[in-house]
């Protein structure tokens, strides 16, 4: 008999995503491993039973003092994984929303001191305490939306010491939020004012000084770079990423977001774990990504928030056989904390099916940040992260825009319920 501290039954439809290849590509992105009329049991923070409700009574006994909850006919999915966030920043850029409404582009806003460098100024001025408080509050709201693990990029200090300071805050944040956070070094987010017109010198500093220091302290698993005109060229991005690969970092590329930058090509050539944004990519790039197994991380809300004309090419990427993941890209430019909103945009602007969108925010997102062994699926022995939605079928989660979970289980504990 299996002993459990918590039982959740009465689940109309459960998406486990527990079998099949990781990451999922092509038609496999539709396979959610559904169980109808399902139940879950949890003990010591892990799933101990996942299956049909009719087998529960025979196989599972609740421990004395344990809890039994009813899903009341709702649906359950794995805890979401957010594979691209700029969680650590100070201040906000709410004033830019009105400028964008009047047609200002990301570049227009940057040209008069707004945008990314405004956040850099605010982040440099902020104390550790302020940064931790802001990020902790954002993480609490992410959890309420069902996020169980996330990536966190540095990139709003753009000095050697400042970037190390941001990365050092990620482990304390993960402990406070009791959530796995994967750190990505993004010193190559933009050329800082101190290096204005000298991007090559800045890349030199990152390669010679910052990357080795980040490695020595083991502060990040991945190295990312903003490969776009006005930020870093393909050559500069390649130099940074090659140095990072030699030091053992996994690689990520922000590319082809505003204009075609060959960022996806670079990611494919270097065997990066992921290429991110990709709005301006075309069929040849998609074929390259598919052949090299690079995961495409799409941020469909950012495309809207940045006033971009194109939408995330979700449909084309899935059809080309590229593993696709969805992310919030939480930042002061596109302040979105919850993945359900992104799932809906994944459907309505990136043209994924609701099932593909769920795969993109669970198993494929976990793979995009190296958490495929621990996150993104519901299976016996796995960490008990799951969300219950009061909707009749799984498709409703992405079909409705921004539906909030009614119950979030994180590491076997009820983290949020309403
Ligand atoms: Zn980003």
């Amino acid at each position: 008999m299996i002993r459990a501290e918590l039982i959740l039954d009465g689940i109309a439809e459960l998406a486990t995503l527990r079998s099949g290849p990781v990451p999922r590509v092509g038609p496999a992105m539709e396979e959610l491993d559904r169980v109808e009329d399902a139940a879950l049991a949890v003990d010591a923070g892990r799933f101990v039973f996942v299956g049909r409700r009719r087998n529960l009574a025979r196989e599972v006994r609740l421990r004395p003092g344990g809890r039994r909850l009813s899903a009341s006919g709702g649906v359950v999915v794995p805890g979401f994984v957010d594979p691209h966030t700029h969680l650590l920043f100070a201040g906000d850029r709410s004033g830019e929303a009105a400028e964008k409404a009047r047609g200002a582009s990301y570049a227009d806003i940057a040209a008069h001191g707004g945008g990314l460098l405004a956040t850099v100024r605010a982040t440099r001025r902020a104390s550790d305490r302020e940064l931790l408080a802001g990020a902790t509050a954002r993480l609490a709201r992410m959890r309420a939306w069902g996020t169980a693990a996330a990536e966190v990029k540095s990139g709003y200090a753009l000095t050697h010491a400042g970037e190390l300071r941001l990365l050092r805050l990620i482990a304390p944040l993960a402990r406070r939020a009791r959530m796995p956070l994967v750190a990505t070094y993004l010193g190559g987010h933009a050329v800082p004012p101190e290096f204005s017109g000298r991007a090559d010198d800045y890349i030199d500093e990152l390669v010679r000084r910052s990357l080795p220091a980040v490695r020595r302290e083991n502060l990040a698993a991945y190295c990312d770079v903003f490969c776009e005109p006005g930020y870093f060229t393909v050559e500069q991005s390649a130099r940074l990423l090659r140095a990072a690969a030699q030091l053992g970092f996994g690689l990520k590329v922000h590319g082809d977001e505003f204009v075609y930058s060959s960022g996806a090509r670079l990611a494919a050539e270097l065997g990066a774990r992921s290429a991110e944004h990709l709005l301006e990519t075309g069929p040849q790039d998609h074929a390259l990504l598919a052949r090299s197994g690079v995961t495409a991380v799409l941020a469909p809300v950012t495309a809207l928030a940045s006033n971009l004309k194109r939408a995330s090419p979700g449909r084309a990427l899935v059809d080309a056989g590229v593993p696709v993941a969805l992310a919030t890209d939480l930042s002061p430019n596109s302040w979105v904390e919850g993945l359900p909103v992104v799932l809906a945009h994944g459907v309505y602007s990136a043209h994924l099916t609701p099932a593909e969108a769920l795969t993109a925010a669970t198993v494929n997102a976990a793979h995009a940040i190296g958490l495929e062994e621990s996150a993104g699926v519901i299976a016996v022995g796995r960490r008990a992260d799951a969300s219950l939605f009061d909707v009749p079928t799984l498709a409703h989660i992405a079909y409705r825009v921004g539906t909030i979970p009614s119950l979030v289980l994180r590491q076997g504990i009820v983290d949020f319920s309403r």
Side-chain angles (χ1 to χ4, degrees), residues 85-86 88-89 116-117 119-120 123 152-159 162-164 166-167 170 184-191 202 224:
T85 84
H86 303 262
L88 272 169
F89 61 85
L116 200 155
L117 291 180
T119 299
V120 168
T123 304
V152 180
K153 298 179 196 288
S154 69
Y156 286 125
L158 305 183
T159 62
E163 289 290 304
L164 290 178
L166 291 178
L167 291 172
I170 295 173
T184 294
Y185 172 62
L186 183 56
H189 199 187
V191 181
Y202 183 60
D224 193 353

Side-chain angles (χ1 to χ4, degrees), residues 84-86 153 186 189 224 254 257 276-277 302 329 331:
H84 179 149
T85 84
H86 303 262
K153 298 179 196 288
L186 183 56
H189 199 187
D224 193 353
H254 270 68
E257 182 181 6
E276 330 231 328
H277 294 298
T302 303
D329 191 17
S331 82

Side-chain angles (χ1 to χ4, degrees), residues 10-197:
I11 303 168
E13 229 184 339
L14 167 67
T16 68
L17 293 112
R18 65 184 156 183
S19 55
V22 178
R24 304 267 202 284
V25 297
M29 281 192 68
E30 289 266 357
E31 313 262 319
L32 301 178
D33 262 311
R34 294 160 205 262
V35 185
E36 283 175 17
D37 194 15
L40 295 172
V42 172
D43 203 58
R46 308 231 156 223
F47 292 114
V48 292
F49 174 89
V50 176
R52 300 296 292 264
R53 181 168 57 160
R54 63 164 187 261
N55 299 330
L56 182 77
R58 201 172 60 230
E59 294 184 30
V60 182
R61 181 163 302 154
L62 200 60
R63 290 185 186 277
R67 285 177 86 178
R68 179 184 283 269
L69 303 170
S70 171
S72 308
V75 306
V76 172
V77 296
F80 293 130
V81 178
D82 191 342
H84 179 149
T85 84
H86 303 262
L87 177 75
L88 272 169
F89 61 85
D92 71 82
R93 305 207 311 253
S94 53
E96 292 174 11
E99 295 181 58
K100 290 173 186 172
R102 295 190 186 98
S105 70
Y106 193 88
D108 298 333
I109 291 168
H112 59 261
L116 200 155
L117 291 180
T119 299
V120 168
R121 289 192 295 276
T123 304
R124 286 179 178 181
R125 278 197 303 268
S127 66
D128 287 359
R129 249 181 86 152
E130 288 164 333
L131 287 167
L132 281 171
T136 301
R138 289 188 278 278
L139 277 173
R141 291 187 294 266
M142 288 164 67
R143 280 167 21 204
W145 282 104
T147 299
E151 187 238 27
V152 180
K153 298 179 196 288
S154 69
Y156 286 125
L158 305 183
T159 62
H160 174 78
E163 289 290 304
L164 290 178
R165 172 173 86 120
L166 291 178
L167 291 172
R168 287 186 194 116
L169 294 177
I170 295 173
L173 262 178
R175 280 195 297 275
R176 271 193 192 195
R178 296 182 44 253
M179 191 202 281
L181 297 178
V182 173
T184 294
Y185 172 62
L186 183 56
H189 199 187
V191 181
E194 296 80 0
F195 283 84
S196 184

Side-chain angles (χ1 to χ4, degrees), residues 220-264:
Y222 292 94
C223 177
D224 193 353
V225 65
F226 202 173
C227 176
E228 293 263 349
Y231 295 85
F232 298 98
T233 64
V234 174
E235 293 70 29
Q236 289 159 348
S237 302
R239 193 146 59 88
L240 177 67
L241 293 176
R242 287 211 170 90
Q246 271 182 355
L247 290 169
F249 290 92
L251 306 183
K252 293 178 171 287
V253 180
H254 270 68
D256 302 311
E257 182 181 6
F258 304 122
V259 291
Y260 185 69
S261 64
S262 299

